[in-house]
Amino acid sequence: MSKHGLTACLVFIAISVSAVLAGVSQTKHNFTSATYSPNAYFLGTNQVCVYCHTPHNGSLTMGALYNHQTNESQPYQMYSSSTLDMTISAAPHKGSLVCLSCHDGTIAVNSLSNLPGPQGAGNYGSPGGSALDANGRLTVASDAFVGTDLRDDHPVGVLYDASRDPSGFVAKTGIATSYPDKLLSEGLYVECNSCHDPHDNTYSNFLVESNATSQLCMRCHTK
Ligand code: HEC
Ligand code: HEC
Ligand code: HEC
Ligand code: HEC
């Protein structure tokens, strides 16, 4: 790579990371801060990203250098309905498991594979805020508690196939940057990260885009 190319690339990375940093730091996903996450924060902590990422020894199955403890064998009650046309997997895929690892309430929010410094796995800081129990797990006291029963939530683990209901759904384009493809997790599934970006609360509820006039819904549904 030319020197200019490299400089441009480094500047781009620095801007991307600082945009993410500014984004996450001022949201409820900043667990170091009683100001930004008043219901769920950890005393004696200062690293924002470490709850979800580590520079080394990240999870290979979850990707994105994932650092939060996940329980891939946790059973979930998946959405079901007589009017579903597409196939729902027996378990959510990683685009949902990364969220459920905190939001199902079974694992402490501060339970990490790789703590800052040389300590290895463990819990980072001590819990504060009304949404956490003494072990640091999210409880039903939080509006953000999802639990392990997903029957009352938008279906996840769905293999998106509009041909099963062409009048109800927007067909895939095969182009990763166009709708609905750009919302599909791993290019295939409807998962939590189809609709949510955990770094960015611009549209509230960490939505990937505004849902005014149900715009987000209509990226996939036609009615
Ligand atoms: C609450 C959890 C959480 C926190 C905190 C968090 N991230 Fe992430 N991050 C994720 C998840 C989940 C993904 C995977 C996203 C996906 O697959 O859609 C991800 C992906 C990424 C990626 C890959 C590109 C992308 O956006 O998909 C980068 C870069 C990143 N995070 C940087 C950061 C930085 C820097 C911080 C701290 C300022 C941070 N993240 C804090 C959950 C988090
Ligand atoms: C490391 C733990 C952790 C991970 C991973 C995580 N969250 Fe959260 N999330 C929390 C906690 C704790 C809160 C704050 C709960 C409260 O204030 O009651 C929260 C809050 C939220 C909120 C509410 C925001 C608001 O403004 O009220 C949404 C929406 C959300 N998370 C979605 C997600 C999604 C989607 C993912 C995956 C892409 C995810 N979270 C990943 C722990 C996590
Ligand atoms: C099809 C899109 C979609 C999917 C998939 C989705 N969400 Fe949401 N989620 C939304 C919308 C839209 C809202 C805002 C609802 C509102 O304003 O009342 C929301 C709100 C939330 C909230 C805020 C609390 C609440 O219930 O209002 C949490 C937490 C949350 N989602 C977590 C998740 C998790 C975890 C998953 C995966 C298991 C998930 N979401 C999957 C669209 C989605
Ligand atoms: C990323 C694509 C996508 C987005 C965005 C999306 N959905 Fe869905 N939705 C689906 C798929 C796929 C199914 C499963 C359809 C099937 O199997 O027939 C589904 C199922 C549903 C169902 C259950 C239908 C049934 O027959 O039981 C409802 C209700 C629903 N979505 C509402 C919404 C709403 C409201 C929004 C906006 C907040 C939304 N969806 C956003 C893809 C999406």
Side-chain angles (χ1 to χ4, degrees):
M1 196 187 286
S2 75
K3 199 174 160 197
H4 286 299
L6 181 63
T7 307
C9 183
L10 291 175
V11 167
F12 174 75
I13 291 170
I15 292 170
S16 310
V17 170
S18 61
V20 166
L21 185 60
V24 181
S25 297
Q26 292 165 25
T27 72
K28 286 188 177 175
H29 280 167
N30 179 354
F31 310 119
T32 71
S33 167
T35 305
Y36 290 109
S37 187
N39 311 323
Y41 58 90
F42 292 89
L43 297 158
T45 62
N46 55 32
Q47 291 197 25
V48 179
C49 313
V50 78
Y51 289 95
C52 299
H53 302 289
T54 176
H56 302 288
N57 300 320
S59 162
L60 296 176
T61 43
M62 293 301 140
L65 295 171
Y66 215 59
N67 193 30
H68 193 260
Q69 186 198 329
T70 56
N71 182 354
E72 285 142 79
S73 55
Q74 172 66 47
Y76 292 96
Q77 283 181 279
M78 304 297 278
Y79 183 93
S80 77
S81 122
S82 58
T83 49
L84 283 183
D85 298 298
M86 300 180 207
T87 307
I88 294 201
S89 306
H93 301 102
K94 67 180 181 181
S96 294
L97 289 174
V98 286
C99 314
L100 290 167
S101 68
C102 288
H103 283 272
D104 76 6
T106 66
I107 299 174
V109 170
N110 64 337
S111 177
L112 310 183
S113 316
N114 200 10
L115 290 167
Q119 298 113 310
N123 287 24
Y124 181 44
S126 51
S130 58
L132 300 176
D133 70 13
N135 297 312
R137 290 180 298 219
L138 200 60
T139 71
V140 290
S142 172
D143 292 340
F145 179 87
V146 174
T148 58
D149 185 346
L150 307 180
R151 289 175 301 178
D152 58 353
D153 301 298
H154 189 282
V156 293
V158 188
L159 182 62
Y160 191 89
D161 181 2
S163 72
R164 301 273 189 102
D165 182 3
S167 65
F169 286 90
V170 180
K172 278 179 79 169
T173 60
I175 302 164
T177 50
S178 71
Y179 294 106
D181 305 48
K182 70 184 279 188
L183 298 179
L184 299 177
S185 192
E186 301 179 70
L188 296 169
Y189 304 107
V190 180
E191 303 291 350
C192 311
N193 66 356
S194 297
C195 301
H196 295 281
D197 178 344
H199 308 108
D200 187 347
N201 204 31
T202 306
Y203 305 108
S204 80
N205 287 300
F206 294 105
L207 292 179
V208 292
E209 60 179 65
S210 165
N211 197 29
T213 69
S214 300
Q215 166 187 302
L216 174 60
C217 314
M218 304 306 275
R219 299 296 188 189
C220 297
H221 293 264
T222 56
K223 59 180 178 222

